[in-house]
Amino acid sequence: MGAMEVIIQSDLRQASLLGARIIARHVQGKPDAVLGFATGKTPLLLYQFLVQMHREQGLDFGRITAFNLDEYIGLDPSHPASFHSYMWKNLFGHIAIPDERVNIPNGMAPDIPAACREFEETIKSSGGIDIQILGIGRDGHIGFNEPSSSLTSRTRIKTLTAETRKDHGEDFGGEENVPLHVITMGLGTIMESRTCLLLALGKAKARPIAQTIEGPITAMVPASILQLHQRAIVLLDEEAASELKKTDYYRWVYDHKPNWQKY
Ligand code: PGA
């Protein structure tokens, strides 16, 4: 593959199941794979499928290394809205992954730039991320790389946009309680993952998805940098695909994948 692979599934269940199968296949092929995880509503069902595959088919996560894209600054990891809490509650707590194999940015670090550098070093010394799961914000962000992020950025502090704080207000009992700052992997960091798996579900993602896939590469739509990735899979439900122009072609390509390329 040398292009974005756009896969349109009938609904969120099918898209999430296919996403889980793609992750499972990586783990089966490389039991010590380095996996990059995302938070938010989008990957919840995908994670449920992974938990189910672990329980029912013995999919073994005991030797993987996990990295997460981002975390709020100044929020205790035990806070229910932290991404630490999210990951243990929705995935890590159910797949027998050893604590020490989990890497989530430390938003409580006294020296944030040092923590960011250390996070980058840990990714490197783990051999790099094999597959990075991504969601997309309504403003086109991936990780918390908001519009105007440098397209070559590394893990660093970012200030959230008002829109993103609003989108996360529910988790904090009001948008005024959402932290202003986060640590996020940069776009350059994400681009070094061997495979990127962007999952987008629902009508609210239709516009940023059309901009990402069929618009220009621009820092104003940070996800559009994925057009330069050698292996980016964009997995969509019908609603998220509804503003794309070339859907007939994407379906045609997917339906005619050679057997050896099928998931
Ligand atoms: P969501 O968030 O999955 O909750 O829509 C995605 C994102 O903001 O990256």
Side-chain angles (χ1 to χ4, degrees):
M1 194 163 91
M4 271 185 164
E5 182 177 19
V6 181
I7 306 176
I8 303 165
Q9 297 283 286
S10 53
D11 57 23
L12 95 157
R13 193 186 149 76
Q14 291 308 317
S16 302
L17 181 58
L18 183 55
R21 288 204 341 245
I22 292 170
I23 299 297
R25 193 179 259 217
H26 268 79
V27 175
Q28 283 155 348
K30 186 178 175 188
D32 60 351
V34 180
L35 306 182
F37 292 100
T39 51
K41 292 190 189 74
T42 306
L44 280 172
L45 189 55
L46 185 159
Y47 293 158
Q48 281 179 32
F49 282 123
L50 289 180
V51 170
Q52 194 181 338
M53 289 168 181
H54 170 71
R55 288 202 181 130
E56 292 171 12
Q57 295 154 34
L59 183 64
D60 184 7
F61 292 92
R63 288 172 56 204
I64 67 150
T65 300
F67 285 92
N68 259 75
L69 286 166
D70 42 20
E71 181 59 288
Y72 295 105
I73 289 181
L75 193 66
D76 197 88
S78 66
H79 188 288
S82 79
F83 293 158
H84 281 76
S85 294
Y86 172 105
M87 287 310 300
W88 285 96
K89 173 168 176 257
N90 294 306
L91 184 66
F92 298 153
H94 313 286
I95 58 171
I97 177 171
D99 220 348
E100 65 275 12
R101 307 193 76 88
V102 170
N103 302 278
I104 303 175
N106 177 9
M108 297 296 278
D111 183 342
I112 295 289
C116 293
R117 280 194 300 274
E118 200 181 305
F119 193 74
E120 290 272 339
E121 283 306 316
T122 313
I123 295 175
K124 237 180 241 135
S125 62
S126 307
I129 295 170
D130 289 302
I131 181 164
Q132 174 66 56
I133 300 171
L134 299 165
I136 187 168
R138 287 190 295 144
D139 60 4
H141 69 220
I142 49 176
F144 268 137
N145 295 282
E146 298 284 33
S148 80
S149 286
S150 156
L151 295 176
T152 58
S153 49
R154 311 303 306 188
T155 302
R156 70 210 182 291
I157 181 172
K158 282 299 284 182
T159 307
L160 296 179
T161 61
E163 182 180 69
T164 298
R165 289 181 72 229
K166 195 164 167 198
D167 286 347
H168 288 80
E170 212 180 288
D171 303 337
F172 289 87
E175 63 183 280
E176 66 282 5
N177 302 321
V178 179
L180 280 173
H181 298 116
V182 294
I183 296 179
T184 181
M185 274 188 212
L187 295 171
T189 320
I190 291 169
M191 286 294 285
E192 282 171 12
S193 304
R194 290 180 192 94
T195 299
C196 285
L197 177 63
L198 173 60
L199 179 63
L201 306 169
K203 191 81 197 118
K205 304 299 169 67
R207 192 160 156 268
I209 281 297
Q211 291 173 323
T212 294
I213 298 169
E214 297 179 343
I217 297 172
T218 166
M220 297 316 288
V221 182
S224 65
I225 190 66
L226 293 173
Q227 292 178 26
L228 291 178
H229 201 282
Q230 289 288 318
R231 202 174 161 73
I233 304 168
V234 184
L235 193 44
L236 307 171
D237 64 2
E238 292 285 354
E239 287 186 346
S242 61
E243 289 187 30
L244 288 168
K245 294 199 172 68
K246 297 258 179 210
T247 47
D248 288 350
Y249 178 62
Y250 309 137
R251 289 184 214 275
W252 173 262
V253 172
Y254 187 67
D255 290 344
H256 294 84
K257 264 169 102 77
N259 272 334
W260 56 271
Q261 271 193 345
K262 287 192 172 138
Y263 300 119

